[in-house]
């Protein structure tokens, strides 16, 4: 399979799905396969749809819903690495951009009451970053750009402590542009 040089695929959960990527990144053809509520295992199960698009660039952010389901960080990491391995095997001329998990705020109703997920998010991001030694992968560390001093999502970027508002999506797109991907 070849790839279509101007096509970019965004894979993930609601954070990806809710982004209006065509407007945020107008220089590229964008396919958005973000699905609200998806786990890393869900993305792994539906990769054939992504592969059939033959994108030149694949932007993956997944894992926050796994944390809400109390899936161990190591299992999430393994699923994400499996996604990368499958994509690399099917689309060797493409490039995978692993995007760090964004910070979230404590007290979200879908997450365990009173539990601060900041450390788990930092650990998962650290594990993912170490996997990006292969030229197929690039790690984009969004987390520091969105985290406040406590490691939580900055209020200026969120609607509810988890999901992004327009300013959050604008910031994300600026980072992608700054890293030379658009």
């Amino acid at each position: 399979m070849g790839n279509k040089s101007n096509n970019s695929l965004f894979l993930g959960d609601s954070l990806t799905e809710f982004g209006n990527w065509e407007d945020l990144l107008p220089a590229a053809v964008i396919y958005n396969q973000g699905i609200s509520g998806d786990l890393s295992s869900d993305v792994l199960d539906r990769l054939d749809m992504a592969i059939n698009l033959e994108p030149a660039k694949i932007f993956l952010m997944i894992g926050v819903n796994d944390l809400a389901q109390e899936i161990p960080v190591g299992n999430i990491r393994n699923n994400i690495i499996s996604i990368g391995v499958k994509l690399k095997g099917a689309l060797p001329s493409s490039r995978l951009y692993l995007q760090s998990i964004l910070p979230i705020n404590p007290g979200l109703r879908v997450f365990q009451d009173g539990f601060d997920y900041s450390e788990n998010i930092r650990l998962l991001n650290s594990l993912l970053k170490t996997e990006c030694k292969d030229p197929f992968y690039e790690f984009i560390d969004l987390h520091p750009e969105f985290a406040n001093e406590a490691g939580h999502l900055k209020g200026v970027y969120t609607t509810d402590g988890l999901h992004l508002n327009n300013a959050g999506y604008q910031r994300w797109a600026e980072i992608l542009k700054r890293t030379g991907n658009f």
Side-chain angles (χ1 to χ4, degrees), residues 84-99:
V85 167
K86 186 169 181 182
L87 289 171
K88 182 179 179 182
L91 302 168
S93 60
S94 297
R95 186 154 171 107
L96 175 62
Y97 297 88
L98 281 177
Q99 300 170 103

Side-chain angles (χ1 to χ4, degrees), residues 51-87:
I51 290 167
N52 288 337
L53 295 171
E54 299 180 358
K57 299 175 183 178
I58 304 153
F59 293 85
L60 175 65
M61 180 195 293
I62 194 71
V64 73
N65 292 323
D66 296 70
L67 292 172
Q69 296 293 318
E70 300 182 31
I71 295 170
V73 169
N75 293 13
I76 303 167
R77 174 225 168 257
N78 291 344
N79 285 341
I80 293 171
I81 298 311
S82 294
I83 291 166
V85 167
K86 186 169 181 182
L87 289 171

Side-chain angles (χ1 to χ4, degrees), residues 98-117:
L98 281 177
Q99 300 170 103
S100 65
I101 307 300
L102 295 178
I104 63 171
N105 295 340
L108 299 169
R109 68 177 172 81
V110 296
F111 291 83
Q112 183 180 342
D113 286 341
F115 188 77
D116 187 348
Y117 288 84

Side-chain angles (χ1 to χ4, degrees), residues 76-180:
I76 303 167
R77 174 225 168 257
N78 291 344
N79 285 341
I80 293 171
I81 298 311
S82 294
I83 291 166
V85 167
K86 186 169 181 182
L87 289 171
K88 182 179 179 182
L91 302 168
S93 60
S94 297
R95 186 154 171 107
L96 175 62
Y97 297 88
L98 281 177
Q99 300 170 103
S100 65
I101 307 300
L102 295 178
I104 63 171
N105 295 340
L108 299 169
R109 68 177 172 81
V110 296
F111 291 83
Q112 183 180 342
D113 286 341
F115 188 77
D116 187 348
Y117 288 84
S118 300
E119 189 55 38
N120 284 344
I121 290 172
R122 279 193 291 274
L123 175 59
L124 180 57
N125 286 339
S126 176
L127 292 171
L128 294 176
K129 187 175 184 176
T130 63
E131 296 298 331
C132 292
K133 305 296 185 228
D134 185 302
F136 180 76
Y137 303 93
E138 183 174 325
F139 186 74
I140 300 175
D141 197 359
L142 301 168
H143 190 276
E145 304 275 351
F146 286 86
N148 63 21
E149 311 76 42
H152 302 136
L153 187 55
K154 291 178 182 175
V156 66
Y157 294 135
T158 185
T159 59
D160 61 3
L162 171 64
H163 296 100
L164 299 178
N165 59 22
N166 288 337
Y169 281 108
Q170 286 288 339
R171 185 71 183 128
W172 189 350
E174 288 168 12
I175 295 165
L176 294 180
K177 289 175 187 174
R178 185 179 71 215
T179 60

